[in-house]
Amino acid sequence: MSPLRSLHNALGATLAYLWSGWGAVASILLFCALWELGGRVYGDLVLPGPVATLQQLSGMFDSGQALPELIISARRALYGLGLALGIGTLLGLLAGRSMTAAMMSRPLVTLLLGMPPIAWLVLAMLWFGMGDATPVFTVFIACFPIAFAGAMQGGRTLDNKLKDVALAYRLPWRMLLTDLYLPHITSYLFPAWITALGTSWKVVVMAELLTTVDGVGAALAVSRAQLDTASSLGWIVAVLGLLLAFEYLLLEPIKRRVERWRTEPGP
Amino acid sequence: MSELHIRHLYHRYGVTEVLADVGLDLYAGETLALVGPSGCGKSTLLHIIAGLLTPSEVVMQSTFRGLACVFQEPRLMPWKTTADNIALGLKALGVPKTARQRQAAALAQRMGLAPEDLAKYPHELSGGMQSRVSLARALAIKPDLLLLDEPFSALDIGLKAELYRQLEEQVQQQGTAVLMITHDLMEAVRLADRILMMVPDPGRMVYEFTLQQPQAERSSTWVYQTTAELMQVREVRIGFGLDEGELPVQISHHEQHSGCSV
């Protein structure tokens, strides 16, 4: 394929992707309308409307209060997430290679997935105290089984028929990896990674709320203590905004690019 | 000249004996068809020759160097475009990207694929087109031994005839040896120089049929007549369950072989 043509295709795909965002925007605006309605009914003290919340949020950004806290939380979430994805994916792939390991780890994964993060948080507080390590560990332990299960599933479901093709055509081990295992496994990993990302944000805010003195969670604790509903909602919107931006501007386009062999051709 | 010799091939899955004392010879430029009912071990035999299975016991000698497989289903990599799928074997051989893309494009054209199909993924191709890609992938590495596992069984007559022609061309021009599995006797008669009949429980050879007529002189009438003739053979009738009867298991008695001599 000529470079011009691939550029043309990539551009077309990007535009189509952005255009498909209108549906999402409309749905979010509809939600805001309902939110506004609720705000009007219950009053500003109980439920400030979206406009009031956004004003409060931009005020927090202007005063230089919001950004450092968000960066702290993001750093903790990404450390925990990075560790979980790295170790979970690696171990999951290894477990996927062996029937015994897969059978042994399945109940463990169920156990880990079923254990509420708040329980881990209590343990982490006892083990690591009130520092950075507690939220990072909690995020790690909450995301680890998700990445592990995804990778293991990918490893287990590899089509033996395609493996036969690879062996019959004498693919060297490096090509086995790049042309067979990785493309297959990526299609299992990406959904798991996106789920883990969402979990990491939720868990980091929760962990900070209870343990640390800085970060979005801690700021939420303060605004709760002051009965400042607008600030609380402002923080929540900020966290959700970051999550949405990360998922839809970074992960989703990568996923589309990597998995374009899966999607049906556009209309 | 390249040759393949197999003697005393036994294969067991657990306690079930799938292949018992199978032997065959194959020479360059020759087309050998394995026919037989389902479950007679044809595919297992092919997998063993392709090196995908290690048999329980065998004496095998092969001087073929480039081996290509066409499987029953196209088995294309779903994440690769047509061009990359055709070039898979070339990539494994270390052919540079531009060269292998050029060869893939040329082969695709020979197989009757349109240039715009090269950038498509398998799910965008019809079943017949996928089969062409699968055959092109095998021919791309210019094999001297081509193993075909019923690759044509799901195709319509027109496409079958076209792929037969491609195959004949390959055999004539490159002197490729072909070992094909089929349960279509007519297909075997049309393409093969020799036909080996296999039966199950345990999988073994029971009958060999040599076709003298050169490929080019095989008219449809001749194919029908010869197939009809073949259908009258006792082993074939019993093997396919058309007649009642038993085919004796003849195991050649041999010393516990050391694996060195044929």
Side-chain angles (χ1 to χ4, degrees):
Chain A
M1 200 171 11
S2 71
L4 201 70
R5 179 141 179 244
S6 40
L7 186 74
H8 177 257
N9 282 352
L11 209 70
T14 312
L15 282 177
Y17 176 61
L18 288 179
W19 188 250
S20 73
W22 283 116
V25 170
S27 147
I28 287 174
L29 286 179
L30 187 68
F31 174 76
C32 286
L34 288 174
W35 179 7
E36 179 70 38
L37 185 73
R40 296 268 167 98
V41 171
Y42 291 104
D44 260 1
L45 191 66
V46 177
L47 185 65
V51 178
T53 304
L54 287 176
Q55 269 169 359
Q56 179 73 23
L57 182 62
S58 74
M60 292 188 320
F61 270 107
D62 287 342
S63 66
Q65 183 197 358
L67 202 58
E69 307 284 15
L70 280 171
I71 288 174
I72 290 172
S73 291
R75 195 193 65 215
R76 287 172 180 153
L78 290 182
Y79 277 173
L81 183 68
L83 277 175
L85 294 189
I87 299 176
T89 304
L90 193 73
L91 289 181
L93 288 181
L94 289 178
R97 299 303 309 137
S98 131
M99 192 70 194
T100 323
M103 275 171 67
M104 274 177 63
S105 50
R106 258 196 82 172
L108 294 181
V109 168
T110 316
L111 204 79
L112 283 179
L113 278 174
M115 184 139 164
I118 194 89
W120 283 115
L121 183 60
V122 170
L123 287 177
M125 280 159 76
L126 293 172
W127 292 338
F128 301 108
M130 306 302 262
D132 249 15
T134 301
V136 171
F137 171 79
T138 316
V139 168
F140 167 76
I141 207 80
C143 297
F144 172 79
I146 302 173
F148 182 86
M152 188 172 80
Q153 200 71 337
R156 286 235 57 76
T157 50
L158 188 67
D159 192 349
N160 271 323
K161 292 178 172 174
L162 290 183
K163 212 154 92 186
D164 275 354
V165 172
L167 294 177
Y169 284 94
R170 307 273 187 276
L171 262 56
W173 68 268
R174 223 167 54 87
M175 256 183 87
L176 276 181
L177 208 64
T178 57
D179 293 57
L180 182 63
Y181 293 128
L182 286 182
H184 170 82
I185 285 163
T186 320
S187 64
Y188 279 85
L189 282 183
F190 256 100
W193 285 11
I194 288 175
T195 313
L197 174 75
T199 308
S200 74
W201 279 107
K202 279 182 257 178
V203 169
V204 83
V205 171
M206 183 197 73
E208 284 173 346
L209 186 93
L210 294 173
T211 58
T212 56
V213 291
D214 49 8
V216 175
L220 262 178
V222 171
S223 61
R224 183 208 53 159
Q226 296 169 350
L227 293 180
D228 184 354
T229 323
S231 296
S232 299
L233 280 176
W235 285 117
I236 292 169
V237 167
V239 169
L240 285 180
L242 267 182
L243 177 67
L244 284 180
F246 205 72
E247 179 169 338
Y248 283 103
L249 295 181
L250 185 70
L251 287 182
E252 186 68 25
I254 296 179
K255 188 176 150 197
R256 284 195 178 213
R257 172 92 195 136
V258 172
E259 292 188 8
R260 62 197 188 286
W261 53 272
R262 271 178 175 242
T263 48
E264 294 298 320
Chain B
M1 193 163 83
S2 304
E3 328 176 324
L4 168 74
H5 302 287
I6 294 176
R7 293 287 179 276
H8 309 309
L9 168 61
Y10 291 82
H11 190 64
R12 296 170 201 97
Y13 286 122
V15 288
T16 330
E17 191 147 58
V18 195
L19 292 171
D21 196 27
V22 168
L24 64 83
D25 303 288
L26 180 63
Y27 299 92
E30 187 184 33
T31 303
L32 180 62
L34 288 173
V35 298
S38 304
C40 69
K42 297 170 299 201
S43 288
T44 309
L45 178 57
L46 204 81
H47 279 72
I48 288 171
I49 297 173
L52 301 174
L53 264 180
T54 311
S56 312
E57 215 177 296
V58 74
V59 185
M60 179 148 70
Q61 193 184 54
S62 171
T63 49
F64 288 109
R65 303 170 68 86
L67 185 150
C69 251
V70 181
F71 296 91
Q72 212 162 346
E73 321 87 55
R75 296 198 189 179
L76 306 176
M77 305 276 170
W79 43 80
K80 282 182 173 292
T81 59
T82 302
D84 288 339
N85 262 304
I86 295 177
L88 182 78
L90 294 172
K91 191 177 175 191
L93 290 172
V95 178
K97 191 173 165 97
T98 41
R100 65 174 188 255
Q101 290 295 339
R102 208 171 43 232
Q103 288 181 42
L107 246 166
Q109 198 191 8
R110 213 180 102 192
M111 288 287 158
L113 293 162
E116 62 265 24
D117 292 336
L118 283 173
K120 285 184 181 166
Y121 289 94
H123 73 85
E124 297 169 284
L125 300 175
S126 68
M129 272 147 83
Q130 291 187 17
S131 296
R132 294 177 209 223
V133 175
S134 169
L135 186 59
R137 175 175 66 187
L139 298 185
I141 58 174
K142 299 202 167 58
D144 56 359
L145 175 56
L146 188 59
L147 304 175
L148 307 174
D149 188 355
E150 296 186 40
F152 309 127
S153 56
L155 305 178
D156 64 74
I157 319 171
L159 187 56
K160 255 189 211 182
E162 195 189 313
L163 294 184
Y164 289 165
R165 217 182 48 242
Q166 297 288 351
L167 200 63
E168 279 167 29
E169 212 178 285
Q170 175 77 16
V171 173
Q172 274 161 13
Q173 289 176 358
Q174 315 263 344
T176 308
V178 178
L179 180 61
M180 62 182 298
I181 290 181
T182 175
H183 39 222
D184 179 354
L185 277 180
M186 207 124 82
E187 187 173 277
V189 168
R190 190 183 300 273
L191 294 173
D193 300 310
R194 270 189 301 141
I195 299 174
L196 283 171
M197 173 80 194
M198 286 181 78
V199 292
D201 304 313
R204 60 199 191 276
M205 309 278 182
V206 289
Y207 186 71
E208 180 170 340
F209 190 81
T210 310
L211 299 142
Q212 302 292 355
Q213 194 93 339
Q215 285 271 347
E217 295 166 24
R218 295 184 185 180
S219 62
S220 294
T221 329
W222 182 86
V223 170
Y224 290 132
Q225 275 174 1
T226 316
T227 310
E229 222 174 277
L230 196 58
M231 290 293 287
Q232 297 310 315
V233 175
R234 184 178 159 270
E235 282 87 350
V236 175
R237 293 194 73 81
I238 297 176
F240 278 109
L242 296 170
D243 279 352
E244 295 289 316
E246 280 287 313
L247 294 169
V249 183
Q250 289 171 333
I251 303 287
S252 63
H253 290 281
H254 59 91
E255 299 289 309
Q256 188 66 37
H257 48 70
S258 63
C260 298
S261 57
V262 172

